[in-house]
Amino acid sequence: MKNMKCKMKKVLKEWQWVLLALFTICICSCKDDDNTEAGGFDPSKPVAISDFTPKEGGAYQKLLIYGENFGTDASNVKVKIGGKEAVVINVKSTYVYCFVPSGAFSGEIEVTVGEGENAITTTADAAFDYQKKMVVGTLCGYRNNRDDQGWRDGPFDGPEGVKCCGFGNAGRLAIDPRNKNHVYICYDGHKSIQLIDLEKRWLSSPLSLNTVPTDRIRSITFNKKIEGYAEEAEYMIISIDYDTGNESPSVYIIKRNADGTFNDNSDVQLLASYKQCNGATIHPINGELYFNSYERGQVFRLDLVDYFKAIKNHEEWDPKVKNHPDIFKQLFTIADPNWEFQIFIHPTGKYAYYGVINNHYFMRSDYDEVKKEFITPYNFVGRYKEPGYRDDVGTEAFMNHPCQGVFVKNPDYEGQDDEYDFYFVDYSNFCVRKVTPEGIVSTYAGRGTSTALADGNQWGTDDGDLREVARFRDVAGLAYDDENEIFYIHDQVGHTIRTISMEKEVTTEDESTEESNE
């Protein structure tokens, strides 16, 4: 109810703004029709700002600046807000209509009319109250005009041919629980696991995985602490999609080095063998492993204590699922054979979503606290085998190849039974979407309303306002840093890692650091 009221207030505010803008334009147009010459810019007279509306807002907010002697030629008027150049939409003698630029932090409004010696600049007495907002940015990577940039480890910054590039296959992201500056990415079609080092601003490929028989690496996760056997995130767990029969490698466990890193010197062991595993994940509370098979949509459960006991006792670990149905317990099949899906467990461990990628929807499975296992899932949002795009509730919503998702705590839900929203990348709809606990699906970022008008495409490379400007293309991976409140998104066709974060005012120190990196 609280969110509904906020939305209603926002809608009413937007309509009030639209009506005010239309009214002002109509009045000024009528005056200009009566006396066109009087509306022209006169360089012998001062340019003045008398007022502006609204008084506050964020990037891409529509702004009306009132005053005198602005002229009628929009190309002859320049507006800066907070030192950033604004896009001027329309100009009449007594007003300027523009968009607030991104990063206009100081809010100082400056209007310049004319050019050269005839240019006159004036500044408003009061500043626009610029409010920071979440925006889309590009962290690293690039795509050139020929799309032949290839793969290159290296710095985030610098010219083409020096800075890092790649990110060209469907990827999955994972933030190292021990170091939030380390973001790992694996690919379905590129064998190395790469490390995105946010502190050093450097991309590397520490794990070439030469002992793994395929380049179809489908997921990365980390273990929970198991008393007496393993510390928190001591092991990385990866899944692979491989099929040479029902003894094919499916899940590997990789021990962290003594210095805290993962690389080609790390101990890599085969944990489970069946075939065609699309993903593996860990229960956030009890620590058991869940993984699947594309074959018949099976979901398996392994208590990692069984593995660690065997290793501690120097026993040989048999990873073959078919040989140990008591250890590798098959819980259920989600439905028909050949369903590509991944499992996303709620931070409380009380339920999980199953993202059925090639059939375009999510199922939900609740957790049996007594048996410590998930029960048979049911359809939650989206429609079986009906790709499309529509924000709605439950099965009335449509999606198109939903990929990786994350749960994010919503402060507005404090005290409620479920305090988390679920965000996921909708691959073929080129956007990031959100699902509330009640199953309300909405578009969070992408498919820029304004930028799409330029070329008619919902996809693109634009950074900026979440819905007004930002666009993605074939987004496959998503991770969230809850400490710094930053989303990381793998934009496959753009060959980039994108971000969603709060706008940051760049300081002189930041600028000098960027220059030294270049």
Side-chain angles (χ1 to χ4, degrees):
M1 185 62 71
K2 179 180 177 182
N3 290 338
M4 184 64 73
K5 288 180 179 178
C6 290
K7 289 179 181 178
M8 288 299 293
K9 287 180 180 178
K10 182 179 179 182
V11 170
L12 288 172
K13 186 176 181 180
E14 289 177 353
W15 272 107
Q16 288 170 353
W17 158 250
V18 171
L19 291 172
L20 176 61
L22 290 173
F23 178 75
T24 303
I25 291 170
C26 289
I27 292 298
C28 293
S29 296
C30 291
K31 288 181 179 179
D32 291 338
D33 290 340
D34 293 338
N35 188 354
T36 303
E37 288 187 2
F41 168 60
D42 185 348
S44 67
K45 295 180 180 180
V47 174
I49 298 174
S50 60
D51 200 1
F52 59 88
T53 187
K55 304 298 183 185
E56 61 181 33
Y60 311 102
Q61 167 74 52
K62 304 174 187 70
L63 188 71
L64 271 176
I65 303 171
Y66 300 99
E68 296 177 2
N69 200 25
F70 294 140
T72 58
D73 183 0
S75 66
N76 201 38
V77 177
K78 292 181 175 59
V79 176
K80 285 188 176 181
I81 304 174
K84 304 289 185 178
E85 190 164 337
V87 175
V88 176
I89 304 301
N90 196 12
V91 174
K92 295 298 178 183
S93 177
T94 56
Y95 75 88
V96 176
Y97 174 35
C98 64
F99 287 112
V100 176
S102 177
F105 298 107
S106 69
E108 182 183 59
I109 299 175
E110 179 183 284
V111 176
T112 299
V113 185
E115 296 181 355
E117 295 180 355
N118 291 328
I120 300 176
T121 300
T122 187
T123 303
D125 292 336
F128 177 76
D129 184 6
Y130 185 82
Q131 299 172 345
K132 296 178 183 179
K133 59 163 64 172
M134 298 289 279
V135 294
V136 173
T138 297
L139 177 69
C140 59
Y142 69 94
R143 173 178 175 161
N144 63 29
N145 293 332
R146 301 176 305 277
D147 194 15
D148 63 356
Q149 64 285 329
W151 294 73
R152 182 183 300 104
D153 290 352
F156 293 179
D157 311 300
E160 292 185 11
V162 173
K163 63 182 177 181
C164 65
C165 57
F167 309 114
N169 296 83
R172 298 293 186 268
L173 296 164
I175 298 174
D176 190 335
R178 291 193 181 185
N179 185 347
K180 293 296 179 73
N181 285 318
H182 284 181
V183 181
Y184 289 94
I185 181 169
C186 66
Y187 303 91
D188 185 4
H190 183 74
K191 201 166 190 181
S192 295
I193 290 179
Q194 295 188 292
L195 169 62
I196 303 164
D197 191 319
L198 303 174
E199 184 177 20
K200 296 179 179 178
R201 294 183 63 79
W202 193 276
L203 175 71
S204 61
S205 301
L207 286 161
S208 62
L209 298 176
N210 290 325
T211 59
V212 175
T214 180
D215 62 3
R216 302 198 67 187
I217 317 300
R218 303 307 302 272
S219 67
I220 300 174
T221 190
F222 299 88
N223 72 289
K224 299 300 293 182
K225 181 176 181 178
I226 302 176
E227 200 66 46
Y229 296 104
E231 295 300 315
E232 183 83 12
E234 185 178 350
Y235 295 86
M236 176 188 288
I237 297 169
I238 66 170
S239 65
I240 69 171
D241 196 333
Y242 192 57
D243 183 10
T244 55
N246 59 8
E247 293 183 2
S248 306
S250 295
V251 183
Y252 285 87
I253 186 166
I254 306 172
K255 185 174 174 59
R256 193 185 291 267
N257 299 324
D259 63 358
T261 63
F262 293 99
N263 56 33
D264 286 334
N265 295 321
S266 301
D267 181 30
V268 181
Q269 298 293 328
L270 182 58
L271 188 58
S273 294
Y274 189 69
K275 65 177 176 179
Q276 297 176 286
C277 183
N278 299 150
T281 191
I282 295 291
H283 192 281
I285 306 302
N286 298 322
E288 63 263 20
L289 172 73
Y290 294 87
F291 63 99
N292 66 4
S293 173
Y294 177 81
E295 181 200 31
R296 291 187 292 109
Q298 304 102 311
V299 173
F300 299 98
R301 176 191 183 278
L302 169 66
D303 190 337
L304 284 179
V305 172
D306 291 331
Y307 168 76
F308 286 120
K309 276 183 178 179
I311 300 304
K312 189 173 183 178
N313 294 331
H314 305 288
E315 298 172 0
E316 184 177 351
W317 174 255
D318 184 1
K320 298 182 181 64
V321 170
K322 69 172 188 175
N323 292 348
H324 305 282
D326 55 330
I327 295 176
F328 298 99
K329 183 177 181 180
Q330 180 179 319
L331 300 180
F332 45 77
T333 59
I334 63 168
D336 296 334
N338 301 330
W339 285 26
E340 182 185 5
F341 69 101
Q342 293 194 317
I343 306 168
F344 309 103
I345 304 177
H346 192 274
T348 63
K350 293 182 178 179
Y351 66 85
Y353 288 150
Y354 297 74
V356 188
I357 299 170
N358 57 349
N359 278 332
H360 321 293
Y361 72 106
F362 283 92
M363 307 181 83
R364 170 173 164 153
S365 173
D366 296 319
Y367 187 70
D368 187 325
E369 299 280 357
V370 176
K371 294 182 178 180
K372 292 187 177 180
E373 61 188 45
F374 288 99
I375 63 176
T376 304
Y378 55 90
N379 193 2
F380 186 58
V381 291
R383 287 193 183 181
Y384 167 62
K385 289 188 176 180
E386 291 190 41
Y389 172 75
R390 185 168 76 194
D391 288 339
D392 213 316
V393 181
T395 56
E396 294 302 308
F398 288 89
M399 50 199 69
N400 197 343
H401 290 89
C403 288
Q404 191 172 16
V406 291
F407 286 93
V408 177
K409 198 166 191 176
N410 188 334
D412 292 339
Y413 300 165
E414 186 176 359
Q416 298 181 18
D417 291 339
D418 192 340
E419 297 183 343
Y420 290 82
D421 289 318
F422 180 72
Y423 292 79
F424 68 94
V425 283
D426 199 346
Y427 183 88
S428 296
N429 279 324
F430 325 122
C431 60
V432 179
R433 302 179 79 179
K434 181 178 78 172
V435 184
T436 68
E438 299 79 19
I440 301 171
V441 179
S442 60
T443 302
Y444 179 64
R447 301 171 66 91
T449 303
S450 297
T451 48
L453 293 175
D455 54 20
N457 297 321
Q458 275 73 48
W459 49 266
T461 59
D462 312 86
D463 290 335
D465 184 89
L466 297 183
R467 294 305 316 282
E468 190 71 28
V469 176
R471 291 191 290 179
F472 305 95
R473 177 68 184 268
D474 296 2
V475 278
L478 180 70
Y480 182 70
D481 176 355
D482 56 354
E483 291 181 9
N484 297 301
E485 298 182 341
I486 300 176
F487 289 94
Y488 297 97
I489 303 110
H490 172 219
D491 191 319
Q492 181 182 339
V493 173
H495 302 314
T496 50
I497 300 299
R498 312 283 292 277
T499 59
I500 298 176
S501 61
M502 189 64 68
E503 287 179 283
K504 179 183 177 183
E505 188 167 2
V506 178
T507 64
T508 304
E509 182 180 349
D510 293 329
E511 290 175 342
S512 62
T513 300
E514 288 181 6
E515 289 174 3
S516 65
N517 286 332
E518 294 177 1

